[in-house]
Amino acid sequence: MFRISKEFHFSASHQLTSLPADHQCARLHGHNYVVVVELAADELNEHGFVRDYHELSPLKRYIDESFDHCHLNDVLGHDRVTAECLARHFYDWCKAHLPETVSVKVSETPKTWAEYRP
C-alpha cells in the first residue's frame, strides 16, 4: 500500500454553544487549524504517483475561500464545529473529489488533533 499526505492551514473562529457557559470553548474563540489529508493506493499510476500533489489544489482553494478567516458556525450552518466534525466534513469533501482519500486529521493546537478514518 502506498500512502501520501498533504498539510493545509487556515485560521478561523468558532463557538461551541452546547457546552456550559463557563467552559472556555463556549466562548467565541479561534484557532490556527492544520488539516492533513491522507491518500492511499495499492498501485501507483502511470507516473509513479498515488496522486499528483498538484491535484490537491482544489482542496487548498476550498479551504482558503470557504474557511480561512471565517466563523465556522456560519460556514457549516451549525454549532457542531469540533475538530472531530471538521475532520469528517473535510473527509467527505475529499472523498468526493479524491477517491483515494483514506483519512483526514484536523488540529486546533500543536498538541491536539482529531482524525476521521472510516
Side-chain angles (χ1 to χ4, degrees):
M1 175 77 56
F2 297 94
R3 294 182 183 272
I4 63 168
S5 297
K6 185 159 178 144
E7 185 175 289
F8 301 88
H9 297 249
F10 70 97
S11 298
S13 66
H14 70 158
Q15 187 172 14
L16 304 178
T17 58
S18 64
L19 295 173
D22 62 342
H23 192 289
Q24 66 182 7
C25 292
R27 295 188 303 267
L28 177 63
H29 65 286
H31 297 285
N32 294 314
Y33 288 91
V34 178
V35 177
V36 179
V37 61
E38 181 181 3
L39 286 70
D42 290 327
E43 300 294 329
L44 299 177
N45 68 17
E46 65 275 10
H47 304 292
F49 297 140
V50 169
R51 172 76 73 148
D52 186 339
Y53 285 110
H54 179 71
E55 294 179 62
L56 278 72
S57 295
L59 175 57
K60 177 170 177 22
R61 212 168 15 261
Y62 175 61
I63 290 172
D64 289 348
E65 293 173 1
S66 301
F67 290 84
D68 193 34
H69 288 82
C70 292
H71 183 58
L72 298 180
N73 300 64
D74 294 341
V75 171
L76 297 177
H78 56 73
D79 291 338
R80 296 192 56 170
V81 287
T82 61
E84 294 88 340
C85 292
L86 288 170
R88 174 64 187 265
H89 175 85
F90 287 120
Y91 174 87
D92 290 344
W93 190 96
C94 288
K95 192 69 171 174
H97 295 86
L98 305 159
E100 303 88 354
T101 301
V102 294
S103 73
V104 172
K105 289 182 183 179
V106 173
S107 173
E108 292 180 340
T109 73
K111 295 181 182 181
T112 63
W113 65 88
E115 179 178 13
Y116 182 77
R117 176 187 301 264

